[in-house]
Amino acid sequence: MANFNDFKLQPYLIKAVQAINLRQPTPVQEKVIPDVLAGKSVVGQSATGSGKTHAFLLPIFSMLDASDQTVQAVITTPSRELSYQIYNAAKQLNKFADNPVTIHNYVGGTDKQHQIEQLERKQPQLVIGTPGRVLDLINSQNLDIHTATRFVVDEADMTLDMGFLEQVDKIASHFPEDLQMMVFSATIPQKLRPFLKKYMANPVVDEIPTETVINADVENWLMSTKGQDKNELIYDLLTMGDPYLALVFANTKERVEELTRYLSERGLKVAMIHGGLEPRKRKRTMREIRNLDYQYVVASDLAARGIDIDGVSLVINDDIPTDLEYFVHRVGRTGRNGLSGTAITLYKPAEDDMIAKLEERGIKFIPKVLKAGRVVTTHDRNRRKKYKRRQAELDPNMKGYVKKTKKKVKPGYKKRIKRAIKEDEQQKRKLELRHKMRKAKRQRQREHRRERNSR
């Protein structure tokens, strides 16, 4: 198995990965880092939580020239939270450099005039930001990226979903022709392929196959809310253990606020994150979450890819996300970097079809129920359907026989039931054949009478 020394990164980066407790490369890092160092354009596709961020940051830092005060690499992300996450990871690496590089983070909702004044004094060597603000600074001719030779599009599928691909396309058009492009994503949708073809003539596709779309270190529980107060159930699940950090995801900002109020009233210190918060407050709250000032966080899907903290031990889905793609990104917040985690999905009986669609995508659920303050494994939610389907095939007399025979519980009763069912089915087939023969005979007789009457 490879280690970080094998990649021939700059020596300070080996110290950096040791300091941030990256013991050995993940599969995506093992594949991607050598390709990026070799100057190849790369499409990196792997599951959420697989270590994609350091797969591109480490080789980019290894190739940055600290003596050249021009923009050398640009990284775009579809959300502010993701941008801050990558910016913080980049600063961690930069701390160990003998000659640190200049890194700027450009996202919406921040002081644009201050950024312009910074750019007038000095251009950054590494740019990280959201597509809208980065493009805005380029169009105003304050940010000069024509010198950059490396461009990273992180979370490309989310960039497409949120409608930012056109802005990323315009940013890409400002780079020189010999651009090394790196596109990272959990999935590569069909609508993304024309963009890849436009800018990547012959990229290396580093696809990391997984047995399941959910990390193997995550226990994926499924719990029905039928007949239960969901708020109380969530409170019980959060407080029955002592999670290092627990995330609760809800579908709407209204539900996020409602659940935050309820849990706060029950005495929990809860952080709240959703798209309706003022940008400065969102940034401050995310910083407090990363500093572990909170043990419990209630968030909308906006944060599903933005909270990247080692040690998230519990994720609860208050509801199944409307866009099923977000399910993977929610659950992917736990079970990261070799640590175990638990994801609990709450569902109503009316949502059986949505659960079935997730199962079709390769997601395996363990059915659970809360009993006497303990979570225990329960029956498959489909067992009654299967049983009823079998029972529906038997006539009332046979159902009575099965019930009566089971009550006797004598040796060989199962064989007797199977034999009786088989005999019953044979008898049904005989009766059905006899009915068809009689029907055909009556039909021939009617035709014979019509012929006789027509004469």
Side-chain angles (χ1 to χ4, degrees):
M1 185 174 286
N3 62 57
F4 287 103
N5 287 308
D6 296 335
F7 300 132
K8 295 182 173 55
L9 298 165
Q10 290 194 32
Y12 81 87
L13 292 170
I14 303 302
K15 294 178 185 176
V17 296
Q18 290 171 349
I20 58 180
N21 207 26
L22 294 181
R23 300 178 190 87
Q24 55 191 138
T26 64
V28 70
Q29 290 164 0
E30 197 170 337
K31 278 197 170 188
V32 167
I33 291 174
D35 288 334
V36 176
L37 287 171
K40 298 175 183 176
S41 287
V42 171
V43 176
Q45 183 180 354
S46 67
T48 297
S50 59
K52 290 193 290 288
T53 300
H54 284 95
F56 59 79
L57 277 183
L58 286 169
I60 284 174
F61 265 88
S62 197
M63 294 185 289
L64 288 174
D65 181 358
S67 65
D68 180 6
Q69 195 61 56
T70 61
V71 178
Q72 298 173 47
V74 177
I75 301 168
T76 64
T77 75
S79 76
R80 297 168 185 172
E81 284 72 24
L82 275 168
S83 189
Y84 288 126
Q85 171 192 314
I86 295 171
Y87 178 57
N88 289 328
K91 287 197 298 182
Q92 284 179 326
L93 300 179
N94 203 32
K95 279 194 306 186
F96 291 84
D98 296 327
N99 297 301
V101 295
T102 307
I103 310 169
H104 285 178
N105 185 30
Y106 302 121
V107 300
T110 53
D111 188 342
K112 182 182 172 185
Q113 187 56 42
H114 176 65
Q115 291 166 355
I116 290 172
E117 290 169 3
Q118 277 185 323
L119 288 166
E120 286 173 349
R121 291 193 298 271
K122 184 167 64 173
Q123 292 286 308
Q125 290 151 303
L126 175 60
V127 171
I128 300 166
T130 50
R133 177 54 61 90
V134 171
L135 183 61
D136 197 12
L137 291 170
I138 293 169
N139 288 339
S140 64
Q141 298 185 347
N142 297 110
L143 178 62
D144 182 6
I145 67 166
H146 84 277
T147 54
T149 54
R150 297 176 184 92
F151 181 35
V152 177
V153 181
D154 190 33
E155 298 290 6
D157 52 353
M158 187 179 177
T159 299
L160 175 67
D161 291 342
M162 296 180 72
F164 298 146
L165 193 61
E166 185 179 349
Q167 293 171 331
V168 171
D169 191 356
K170 289 177 180 176
I171 293 170
S173 68
H174 287 80
F175 292 110
E177 286 188 12
D178 59 342
L179 177 68
Q180 181 185 14
M181 182 179 280
M182 292 153 267
V183 176
F184 293 86
S185 188
T187 60
I188 305 294
Q190 192 64 38
K191 290 182 180 178
L192 187 63
R193 296 187 187 278
F195 171 81
L196 300 180
K197 190 175 180 180
K198 181 177 179 181
Y199 291 103
M200 307 175 81
N202 191 25
V204 175
V205 179
D206 287 326
E207 184 175 355
I208 310 301
T210 52
E211 292 181 6
T212 171
V213 291
I214 301 298
N215 192 311
D217 294 322
V218 178
E219 278 212 357
N220 204 29
W221 297 355
L222 183 67
M223 300 183 73
S224 172
T225 58
K226 185 178 180 181
Q228 300 188 67
D229 181 321
K230 189 156 64 167
N231 286 353
E232 188 173 342
L233 176 60
I234 290 173
Y235 174 81
D236 290 341
L237 292 171
L238 289 173
T239 56
M240 64 185 299
D242 188 21
Y244 185 77
L245 179 62
L247 307 183
V248 184
F249 286 108
N251 282 357
T252 65
K253 67 178 184 179
E254 290 78 16
R255 176 58 180 157
V256 169
E257 291 171 353
E258 176 192 345
L259 194 51
T260 301
R261 276 196 305 272
Y262 175 83
L263 295 173
S264 299
E265 287 167 2
R266 293 293 299 267
L268 300 184
K269 185 182 178 184
V270 184
M272 179 177 71
I273 293 287
H274 63 66
L277 295 179
E278 189 263 332
R280 191 167 295 177
K281 185 176 182 181
R282 259 171 56 192
K283 182 180 178 181
R284 184 176 69 249
T285 303
M286 289 297 293
R287 185 173 61 249
E288 290 169 345
I289 292 169
R290 290 193 180 93
N291 290 339
L292 300 177
D293 293 339
Y294 293 94
Q295 189 176 8
Y296 309 100
V297 180
V298 182
S300 65
D301 283 314
L302 169 79
R305 298 190 187 183
I307 300 175
D308 185 16
I309 307 167
D310 288 346
V312 174
S313 57
L314 176 63
V315 168
I316 297 178
N317 289 314
D318 169 69
D319 217 336
I320 300 166
T322 309
D323 183 348
L324 296 182
E325 288 293 336
Y326 277 102
F327 181 89
V328 175
H329 300 297
R330 289 180 177 187
V331 174
R333 296 308 97 194
T334 187
R336 301 170 79 89
N337 292 329
L339 299 173
S340 61
T342 302
I344 306 174
T345 298
L346 307 180
Y347 81 105
K348 302 184 287 289
E351 294 173 322
D352 260 355
D353 288 347
M354 294 180 77
I355 296 295
K357 286 178 181 176
L358 289 170
E359 288 173 330
E360 287 171 7
R361 294 176 178 219
I363 294 166
K364 295 180 175 64
F365 291 104
I366 305 170
K368 296 282 185 177
V369 66
L370 186 63
K371 282 186 178 179
R374 291 178 60 245
V375 175
V376 296
T377 302
T378 185
H379 300 290
D380 183 348
R381 74 186 193 287
N382 292 319
R383 65 184 172 84
R384 291 188 177 179
K385 291 180 182 177
K386 293 173 184 174
Y387 177 76
K388 286 179 180 178
R389 197 159 51 241
R390 179 67 172 156
Q391 289 291 309
E393 295 170 358
L394 305 178
D395 61 32
N397 291 333
M398 184 52 60
K399 286 180 186 177
Y401 175 80
V402 170
K403 192 174 181 181
K404 184 178 178 182
T405 307
K406 276 186 176 180
K407 280 185 178 179
K408 292 179 181 177
V409 194
K410 291 180 180 178
Y413 83 94
K414 289 184 178 180
K415 287 184 179 179
R416 287 200 297 277
I417 289 174
K418 287 181 180 178
R419 188 165 57 246
I421 290 174
K422 186 176 180 180
E423 290 172 357
D424 180 65
E425 289 173 347
Q426 288 174 344
Q427 186 63 26
K428 283 180 179 177
R429 283 196 294 270
K430 286 179 182 178
L431 290 172
E432 188 177 351
L433 181 60
R434 192 179 301 166
H435 174 70
K436 287 181 179 178
M437 291 173 66
R438 287 176 177 172
K439 187 177 179 181
K441 185 178 179 181
R442 285 195 296 272
Q443 181 66 22
R444 287 196 300 272
Q445 287 174 345
R446 282 195 294 271
E447 290 175 356
H448 181 66
R449 280 196 296 272
R450 280 199 296 271
E451 287 177 10
R452 194 172 55 192
N453 291 334
S454 64
R455 293 172 188 162

